[in-house]
C-alpha cells in the first residue's frame, strides 16, 4: 500500500506480510552468464528476485547450472513467474510446479500474455488464472495493463500486489501513461509496482516519484552496456525517486518565481 509520509529511514515495502528495505525487484534473464547475473543482482540491492520457471533451471533439470546457486533462497525472496504462458491453464500449472520445486513457496508473479509481438497481458486469462491461484492459496503479484478498473478488480480478487506495465516488456520506452498509473495508485489498497518498460534510471525515478511502491525490471539492467553499473544506477534512482515522492515536489507554476524574493532587500 502506498504510504503517506514515513521518514526515509523507516520507509519499507511490505508484500504478503513480509517487509523489505529495497523497492527494486529484478529479474534473472538475458545476462551473459550466472556470474554476471550474481554481480548485477548484488549491485541492485534487490531483495526480491523473479525467476521464469519455464526458462530457468532451479532444480527441475539436475546436472545443469542451477540459478539458485547464485541467488540463494536464504538471502533473497525468490519470485517464480509465469513468463511465456499464453493461457490461464499454463500459468496455473507453472505456479503449481514452482510451489513443488520451492518446497511449498506460495508467492508468485502471474503474467498471461496475449500475443508474441506486443507481449501485452491477456486480461481475461489473467483474471481467470488469478482467481484459481488465489483460491489455491497462492500469494499473487500480478502483471497487468495500466487499466485502473482492471487493477482494482485484481486487488479485490485477492492479489497481494498489482503490477501495471509502464510500456511493452523489454521496450525501454519508460512511463508512457503516467495519468493511468496515478489513477491506479489513488484507488489502491495493495502495493502497486511498475512492471515492464523501464529503460534507464530516470524512468525508474519517475515511477517512484509518481508514488509507486516499487519497480520490477530485467532488460533495462541485463541489456545495458555494463549491467552491473546499471544495476547500481537503478538502485540509486529508486531511492532518489522514493525520497522525492516522500518530500513532496514544489508546485508547478506558469510563470517564474524568484529564488531570492525581492521583499526585504537591502537596496
Amino acid at each position: 500500500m502506498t504510504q503517506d509520509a514515513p521518514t526515509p529511514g523507516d520507509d519499507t515495502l511490505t508484500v504478503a506480510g513480509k517487509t523489505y528495505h529495497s523497492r527494486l525487484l529484478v529479474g534473472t534473464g538475458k545476462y551473459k552468464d550466472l556470474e554476471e547475473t550474481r554481480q548485477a543482482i548484488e549491485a541492485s540491492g534487490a531483495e526480491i528476485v523473479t525467476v521464469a520457471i519455464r526458462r530457468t533451471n532451479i532444480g527441475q533439470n539436475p546436472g545443469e547450472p542451477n540459478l539458485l546457486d547464485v541467488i540463494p533462497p536464504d538471502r533473497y525472496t525468490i519470485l517464480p513467474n509465469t513468463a511465456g504462458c499464453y493461457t490461464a491453464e499454463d500459468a496455473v500449472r507453472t505456479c503449481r510446479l514452482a510451489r513443488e520445486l520451492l518446497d511449498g513457496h506460495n508467492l508468485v508473479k502471474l503474467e498471461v500474455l496475449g500475443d508474441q509481438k506486443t507481449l501485452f497481458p491477456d486480461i481475461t486469462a489473467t483474471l481467470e488464472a488469478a482467481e484459481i491461484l488465489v483460491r489455491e492459496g497462492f500469494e499473487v503479484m500480478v502483471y497487468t495493463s495500466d487499466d485502473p478498473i482492471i487493477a482494482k478488480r485484481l486487488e479485490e480478487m485477492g492479489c497481494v500486489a498489482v503490477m501495471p506495465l509502464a510500456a511493452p516488456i523489454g521496450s525501454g520506452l519508460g512511463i508512457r501513461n503516467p495519468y493511468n498509473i496515478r489513477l491506479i495508485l489513488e484507488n489502491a489498497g495493495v502495493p502497486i509496482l511498475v512492471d515492464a518498460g523501464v529503460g534507464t534510471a530516470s524512468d525508474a525515478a519517475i515511477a517512484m516519484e509518481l508514488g509507486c511502491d516499487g519497480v520490477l525490471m530485467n532488460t533495462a539492467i541485463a541489456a545495458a552496456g555494463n549491467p552491473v553499473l546499471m544495476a547500481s544506477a537503478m538502485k540509486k534512482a529508486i531511492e532518489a525517486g522514493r525520497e522525492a515522492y516522500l518530500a513532496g515536489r514544489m508546485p508547478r507554476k506558469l510563470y517564474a518565481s524568484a529564488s531570492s524574493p525581492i521583499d526585504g532587500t537591502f537596496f
Side-chain angles (χ1 to χ4, degrees):
M1 183 183 299
T2 304
Q3 304 175 48
D4 292 330
T7 60
D10 297 330
D11 186 42
T12 55
L13 170 65
T14 300
V15 179
K18 187 172 181 179
T19 299
Y20 302 92
H21 293 282
S22 174
R23 293 176 177 271
L24 174 58
L25 291 69
V26 296
T28 55
K30 303 183 179 180
Y31 292 100
K32 67 180 182 181
D33 54 34
L34 288 182
E35 178 57 20
E36 184 178 74
T37 305
R38 183 193 66 77
Q39 291 181 18
I41 292 173
E42 190 169 291
S44 76
E47 297 169 273
I48 301 176
V49 180
T50 189
V51 176
I53 296 300
R54 294 166 65 97
R55 300 170 179 165
T56 308
N57 180 38
I58 60 169
Q60 64 269 50
N61 295 312
E64 295 185 10
N66 189 330
L67 182 64
L68 298 185
D69 291 337
V70 297
I71 51 165
D74 61 349
R75 179 175 178 185
Y76 299 99
T77 292
I78 307 301
L79 179 62
N81 70 61
T82 61
C85 292
Y86 289 85
T87 67
E89 293 80 5
D90 280 350
V92 170
R93 186 182 308 113
T94 300
C95 288
R96 290 169 177 163
L97 173 61
R99 182 154 61 181
E100 291 181 14
L101 290 170
L102 295 171
D103 299 323
H105 185 87
N106 286 323
L107 184 66
V108 295
K109 179 196 167 189
L110 171 64
E111 59 180 79
V112 187
L113 304 177
D115 68 82
Q116 294 186 359
K117 182 177 181 180
T118 66
L119 300 182
F120 282 135
D122 181 329
I123 297 302
T124 302
T126 298
L127 290 166
E128 179 185 348
E131 184 176 21
I132 294 170
L133 291 170
V134 169
R135 188 168 62 240
E136 292 186 3
F138 285 94
E139 296 167 321
V140 180
M141 301 176 68
V142 57
Y143 166 69
T144 183
S145 65
D146 60 1
D147 182 332
I149 305 302
I150 294 299
K152 192 63 180 178
R153 184 70 52 81
L154 288 162
E155 175 189 331
E156 292 169 346
M157 291 175 65
C159 294
V160 299
V162 176
M163 308 174 73
L165 55 81
I169 291 173
S171 68
L173 290 173
I175 313 293
R176 306 314 300 168
N177 197 339
Y179 175 73
N180 275 22
I181 300 295
R182 285 186 184 274
L183 288 178
I184 292 171
L185 288 164
E186 284 180 8
N187 295 306
V190 296
I192 303 298
L193 301 95
V194 157
D195 180 11
V198 168
T200 191
S202 57
D203 299 330
I206 289 170
M208 298 308 297
E209 289 171 7
L210 286 171
C212 292
D213 295 281
V215 179
L216 188 151
M217 65 181 75
N218 184 184
T219 306
I221 296 175
N226 185 328
V228 178
L229 187 59
M230 182 60 81
S232 176
M234 290 298 188
K235 175 184 178 181
K236 298 180 180 75
I238 293 288
E239 293 171 351
R242 180 64 178 176
E243 288 190 8
Y245 168 72
L246 295 176
R249 65 157 291 140
M250 62 167 284
R252 290 180 171 87
K253 300 177 181 179
L254 183 59
Y255 299 106
S257 176
S259 298
S260 300
I262 296 175
D263 295 342
T265 55
F266 293 108
F267 55 86

